[in-house]
Amino acid sequence: MRLPITAWASITHRASGVFIFVGMAVFLWALDASLRSPESYASLQECLTSPLAKFVIWAVLAGVIYHSLAGVKHLIMDFGIGESMPGGVLGARLVIGLSAVLIVLAGVWIW
Amino acid sequence: MVTAVTSFGRSGLSDWLVQRVSGVILLAYFLFMGYAVATGGDYASWKALFAQTWVKVFSLMALLSLAAHAWIGLWSVLTDYLTERLMGTTGNVLRITLQILIVLVLFVYVVWGVQILWGY
């Protein structure tokens, strides 16, 4: 699909929002296990060493990172900053570029 | 009117504001949690962190913000794509069904979160 970068930034904001709505179940489950008892805390640590668990946490984290940056872009534009065609393109590029860097860093942190 | 009746605040202006305030609260909470996990020690110190009243209150605030934020956000998505104009009556049935499911899931998240925060 040939779409302007601003459209991709917008669609990804929506898609990541839908994705992390589901992903929050994983975070709540992890928070539950981490606070329930010393035993469940230890088994959570054990579980989080598996590549599949690491990937799931990283995927949800990636969604949160992108969604957050795109959200901050919205707030900045609400203040009237960058409300133009070049401003919108620059904002979309910054959000995509910055989140790509942060998502890679999150991956390095997890692995 | 049909779509406005299932919005969060029954007003676009109210939803616009709630979406932004809840978004800022959620971002602050995720940064806090990221820092807490990155600097976390053992079970005892993690448990002690969540034993503090301000952490419980902040977490509940984030949980309620999540419910409102997801409701408004998913409402925006559903009322854009699953509509009578695009899909006929099926659009309305599908949208309302999904909205009921979403609200149920968010209710479970809130109750589950309260159980985690005050139950252990």
Side-chain angles (χ1 to χ4, degrees):
Chain A
M1 239 190 323
R2 286 291 302 167
L3 287 172
I5 190 165
T6 44
W8 283 114
S10 171
I11 290 164
T12 314
H13 193 186
R14 290 188 157 210
S16 61
V18 174
F19 177 63
I20 58 181
F21 160 69
V22 179
M24 281 307 123
V26 177
F27 279 9
L28 271 169
W29 165 80
L31 187 66
D32 188 320
S34 74
L35 288 169
R36 188 180 285 266
S37 66
E39 293 77 30
S40 69
Y41 183 88
S43 66
L44 176 69
Q45 276 187 318
E46 173 72 26
C47 173
L48 291 181
T49 57
S50 90
L52 179 68
K54 280 175 192 278
F55 177 76
V56 171
I57 297 287
W58 176 72
V60 179
L61 221 47
V64 170
I65 289 168
Y66 182 86
H67 198 81
S68 299
L69 287 177
V72 170
K73 189 197 76 163
H74 262 297
L75 287 176
I76 292 169
M77 290 182 97
D78 286 337
F79 282 98
I81 300 162
E83 280 186 310
S84 61
M85 193 58 211
V89 170
L90 178 67
R93 281 192 185 142
L94 279 174
V95 166
I96 291 169
L98 260 176
S99 52
V101 172
L102 288 178
I103 288 166
V104 169
L105 284 177
V108 171
W109 179 44
I110 291 170
W111 270 281
Chain B
M1 280 313 288
V2 174
T3 50
V5 91
T6 54
S7 72
F8 184 77
R10 310 291 175 271
S11 144
L13 284 174
S14 155
D15 279 10
W16 184 90
L17 186 63
V18 171
Q19 194 67 345
R20 274 140 189 89
V21 173
S22 58
V24 170
I25 292 169
L26 284 166
L27 180 57
Y29 190 73
F30 279 121
L31 290 174
F32 161 73
M33 281 298 267
Y35 176 77
V37 171
T39 58
D42 54 356
Y43 174 75
S45 63
W46 183 249
K47 182 94 178 155
L49 175 70
F50 279 88
Q52 297 173 82
T53 305
W54 76 268
V55 176
K56 287 182 198 284
V57 171
F58 190 20
S59 303
L60 181 63
M61 213 175 161
L63 205 56
L64 295 177
S65 294
L66 175 79
H69 197 88
W71 185 332
I72 295 167
L74 291 169
W75 178 89
S76 308
V77 173
L78 292 181
T79 53
D80 270 356
Y81 306 125
L82 304 180
T83 62
E84 193 164 5
R85 191 170 64 82
L86 287 177
M87 308 172 79
T89 314
T90 318
N92 288 338
V93 175
L94 213 57
R95 189 180 70 253
I96 297 295
T97 307
L98 277 173
Q99 269 205 284
I100 291 169
L101 269 172
I102 286 163
V103 171
L104 270 175
V105 168
L106 290 173
F107 180 68
V108 169
Y109 282 3
V110 170
V111 174
W112 188 9
V114 168
Q115 159 71 19
I116 294 169
L117 292 168
W118 278 277
Y120 302 141

